[in-house]
Amino acid sequence: MKTLSKLRLRYAKISSLRWTEKILLIYVLAVLILVKVLILLFPVSWFITPRSAPASHTSKRGIPTATMNKRVWAVNVLSTHIPLGFTCLIQALAAKWLLKNQPHVRVHIGVRSHTADGFSAHAWVTYQSVTILGEQPNLLFEPILAWT
């Protein structure tokens, strides 16, 4: 019974979204799935190394902040509610691609070693040195790699 009421609540939330938000969610889901497939096929260095020269149409101003926030929101919502194993690395790489025209967006990978928890790694995205995706407020990760 509880599962049915949860499904109805989720359906109501999805129904209440504007059509532009629904299209954004579909687009971001496609990007997340694509990144997940690519991360299985290629090493992480493939994502870091530039494949071509920057596009000449890229604006120095980037995309509007509201658009950036909506894209990050969509990555968070889909990663939380769809059980396809969108890890922090997949989320960070997808967000980086979605925000590719936004200057000052950086992907960070960090590690942490704790006696109780053992070794763990985490990826997050920052914009102008503020974490916009993948924040772990209670855990401190030592950055080992960052790129724009």
Side-chain angles (χ1 to χ4, degrees), residues 1-16:
M1 245 358 220
K2 285 186 176 185
T3 303
L4 187 58
S5 63
K6 285 182 181 180
L7 288 175
R8 286 183 182 159
L9 180 62
R10 283 188 184 169
Y11 179 74
K13 285 181 180 179
I14 291 171
S15 297
S16 68

Side-chain angles (χ1 to χ4, degrees), residues 13-121:
K13 285 181 180 179
I14 291 171
S15 297
S16 68
L17 294 174
R18 293 178 297 188
W19 68 272
T20 54
E21 292 171 327
K22 291 175 186 176
I23 290 172
L24 176 64
L25 287 173
I26 292 168
Y27 173 64
V28 171
L29 178 61
V31 170
L32 284 165
I33 291 170
L34 178 64
V35 169
K36 183 167 176 91
V37 169
L38 290 174
I39 202 81
L40 293 171
L41 297 174
F42 298 101
V44 174
S45 61
W46 189 82
F47 295 92
I48 299 169
T49 307
R51 296 282 149 223
S52 62
S56 59
H57 68 277
T58 303
S59 170
K60 292 185 186 230
R61 291 185 336 185
I63 59 176
T65 304
T67 303
M68 182 180 73
N69 291 339
K70 279 289 187 185
R71 291 177 183 179
V72 171
W73 165 82
V75 170
N76 278 322
V77 166
L78 291 169
S79 299
T80 302
H81 295 294
I82 296 184
L84 292 178
F86 297 134
T87 63
C88 57
L89 181 60
I90 292 168
Q91 292 173 45
L93 293 173
K96 175 64 178 153
W97 190 84
L98 290 164
L99 304 173
K100 64 183 175 280
N101 291 335
Q102 189 69 24
H104 311 297
V105 171
R106 295 178 62 90
V107 175
H108 301 265
I109 296 177
V111 294
R112 152 181 201 268
S113 183
H114 193 267
T115 54
D117 300 334
F119 178 81
S120 61

